[in-house]
Amino acid sequence: MTGALVGVRRDFDIVGLVVLAMMTGLGGGVLRDVLLGVNPPVNIGSWERLLTATLAAALIFWQHDRVLRRERVVMLLDAVGLATFCVTGTIAALSHDITPATAVLLGVLTAVGGGIVRDVLSGRTPVVFSGELYAIPAIVGATLTTVAEAFGAAGIVYVGPALVCLGLRLVSMRRGWSAPGARRR
Amino acid sequence: MTGALVGVRRDFDIVGLVVLAMMTGLGGGVLRDVLLGVNPPVNIGSWERLLTATLAAALIFWQHDRVLRRERVVMLLDAVGLATFCVTGTIAALSHDITPATAVLLGVLTAVGGGIVRDVLSGRTPVVFSGELYAIPAIVGATLTTVAEAFGAAGIVYVGPALVCLGLRLVSMRRGWSAPGARRR
Amino acid sequence: MTGALVGVRRDFDIVGLVVLAMMTGLGGGVLRDVLLGVNPPVNIGSWERLLTATLAAALIFWQHDRVLRRERVVMLLDAVGLATFCVTGTIAALSHDITPATAVLLGVLTAVGGGIVRDVLSGRTPVVFSGELYAIPAIVGATLTTVAEAFGAAGIVYVGPALVCLGLRLVSMRRGWSAPGARRR
């Protein structure tokens, strides 16, 4: 959805919007599955997910004025996606035979990978690199998920890490927190 | 081939030309095979294909003046490639155990993926996103191929979807058709 | 390490530095493993390697002034990395059932792939494409490795191709050699 919005700002055509929407929403999970050797990646293996991304792009295509006026709702949805993807991505990774550090990495990749692909394709420096607290909530969420799994957590417990990640992201947006940069002196 | 030409315009060196030519010609199929779990991807597994891409780059390296003067021939070859790749890509995808929607997606990816990689590597906004009717003929071709396969088509029949794709692309170039964009009002 | 340095120049935050450092140092090997179907790629499967990249980024984050003043040391380390990766990458590829041409390609990819990903993510035209003799030493090294392997070489012998690659790179930097470009006339 942020994918399609970025596309509108760049005057992409309808194909560009659909591709950007797919990449942004599904790209992180596809990268994770490629690294884990899940073929074909679940995100492109089911037409339901492809359809959802297409519908999001269609919504933006016809109603981008209205959507842009509700930018806070879009940012909220994006944060919910971040929180959900970092937890589900980590869980999916943990079901394979990998180390905890790799699971955290892949969980974070699921959450932020789509946005990176979106920014590279539309010629922007990836937002995730430049100041905003975007990856850090995902890192915290993925780490908590991995720890919880080590203690044998199941089902509903994983809502916890997701809420922590969501909370961190929302608070940081409201307060304008940013990650430390290495300013040249 | 369009890859190497873009490279000449950017003053890339000979290595850059070869890499861009390989990426453009073979990249789409490599992406498809990675997503399908074909290792190594057929496009890089055979030296014949690597050699072909290298020869194309060499031709451009030494003769780019002459080639550029025949731009319409290059665009025609590019359209033939688009048509061929969207059909062969879809057929290759259908031989795996995947849904029709995924097969269409991978067929289109085979056809346009190389061009996207080329544009990202050379710092351009992917042409496929911005107005020209490029992806849409591939989508039509891949869809027709999938439908034909469901009806048990074989061999020569698949020339049909390729010709439809080629025709659509050529007509759209001549008439200057473009895909609808979501212009900001 | 060059990854994190590029990040500093672009005013990326600490997350960006770590990601760029990982991509640059480990990205080439990850691409190779994805193409070979090694899941998960060895470079992200071991926390030691992830930690090393993170430490390199941390060093740059706190000491980039001092590191930048020693730019020649960084370039030397980068050349050593190039030489090491092109040989180890080729050897890793040769242990799979692939043709020699593919092994050379994957060895070169291991050596230069990380730098390409770094440049794409930070919005630069990949250096490897534009003039400097960077890929050519890697191609020579990977080819020599493949030839040595065909003659049944083992262990210490492979230091040879690495030294040739390193020497070529260092001499070309000192002399300012560059690969031929296809200048427009």
Side-chain angles (χ1 to χ4, degrees), chain C residues 79-118:
Chain C
V80 171
L82 183 77
T84 316
F85 287 169
C86 85
V87 173
T88 56
T90 309
I91 296 176
L94 283 167
S95 74
H96 289 75
D97 183 30
I98 57 174
T99 66
T102 311
V104 170
L105 182 75
L106 291 177
V108 174
L109 181 66
T110 309
V112 308
I116 294 180
V117 173
R118 174 199 65 207

Side-chain angles (χ1 to χ4, degrees), chain A:
Chain A
M1 198 142 176
T2 59
L5 279 176
V6 169
V8 168
R9 292 208 190 93
R10 299 265 156 171
D11 284 332
F12 281 7
D13 63 23
I14 178 98
V15 176
L17 294 191
V18 172
V19 173
L20 270 189
M22 280 190 186
M23 294 283 192
T24 311
L26 311 177
V30 168
L31 289 177
R32 180 200 62 218
D33 286 347
V34 164
L35 292 176
L36 285 171
V38 178
N39 304 113
V42 290
N43 270 355
I44 63 167
S46 67
W47 60 267
E48 293 90 343
R49 299 190 187 201
L50 297 175
L51 186 66
T52 309
T54 308
L55 289 181
L59 174 69
I60 301 291
F61 184 66
W62 280 293
Q63 300 290 332
H64 53 90
D65 293 347
R66 216 166 288 184
V67 173
L68 280 175
R69 251 177 278 133
R70 284 176 183 67
E71 202 181 354
R72 295 179 60 182
V73 179
V74 175
M75 296 306 286
L76 177 64
L77 285 177
D78 189 64
V80 171
L82 183 77
T84 315
F85 287 170
C86 85
V87 173
T88 56
T90 309
I91 296 176
L94 283 168
S95 73
H96 289 76
D97 184 28
I98 57 174
T99 66
T102 311
V104 170
L105 183 76
L106 292 177
V108 174
L109 181 66
T110 309
V112 307
I116 294 180
V117 173
R118 174 198 64 206
D119 291 340
V120 166
L121 286 182
S122 50
R124 309 197 305 178
T125 299
V127 238
V128 68
F129 292 161
S130 22
E132 268 191 74
L133 227 61
Y134 196 85
I136 290 179
I139 295 171
V140 172
T143 308
L144 287 178
T145 306
T146 306
V147 172
E149 202 266 352
F151 283 102
I156 195 75
V157 177
Y158 290 117
V159 174
L163 285 179
V164 172
C165 170
L166 179 61
L168 258 176
R169 172 72 184 139
L170 292 180
V171 170
S172 80
M173 283 199 294
R174 176 165 291 259
R175 301 266 171 110
W177 285 348
S178 65
R183 305 238 161 268
R184 272 165 297 173
R185 275 152 283 190

Side-chain angles (χ1 to χ4, degrees), chain B residues 8-9 11-17 19-20 22 30 34 38-41 44-47 50 61-62 64-65 120-122, chain C residues 34-37 97-99 101-102 105-106 116 120 125-126 128-132 135-136 179-185:
Chain B
V8 168
R9 293 208 190 94
D11 283 332
F12 281 7
D13 63 23
I14 177 99
V15 176
L17 294 190
V19 173
L20 270 190
M22 280 189 185
V30 169
V34 164
V38 178
N39 304 113
I44 64 168
S46 68
W47 61 266
L50 297 176
F61 183 66
W62 280 295
H64 52 92
D65 293 347
V120 166
L121 285 182
S122 51
Chain C
V34 164
L35 292 175
L36 285 171
D97 183 30
I98 57 174
T99 66
T102 311
L105 182 75
L106 291 177
I116 294 180
V120 166
T125 299
V128 69
F129 291 161
S130 21
E132 268 191 74
I136 290 177
R183 308 239 159 268
R184 270 165 298 174
R185 276 150 283 189

Side-chain angles (χ1 to χ4, degrees), chain B residues 95-177:
Chain B
S95 74
H96 289 76
D97 183 28
I98 57 174
T99 66
T102 311
V104 170
L105 182 76
L106 291 176
V108 174
L109 181 67
T110 308
V112 306
I116 293 180
V117 173
R118 175 198 65 207
D119 291 339
V120 166
L121 285 182
S122 51
R124 309 196 305 177
T125 298
V127 240
V128 67
F129 292 162
S130 21
E132 267 191 75
L133 226 60
Y134 197 86
I136 290 178
I139 295 171
V140 172
T143 307
L144 288 178
T145 305
T146 307
V147 171
E149 201 267 353
F151 282 101
I156 194 77
V157 176
Y158 291 116
V159 174
L163 286 179
V164 171
C165 171
L166 179 61
L168 257 177
R169 172 73 184 137
L170 292 179
V171 170
S172 79
M173 283 199 294
R174 175 165 290 260
R175 301 266 170 110
W177 285 347

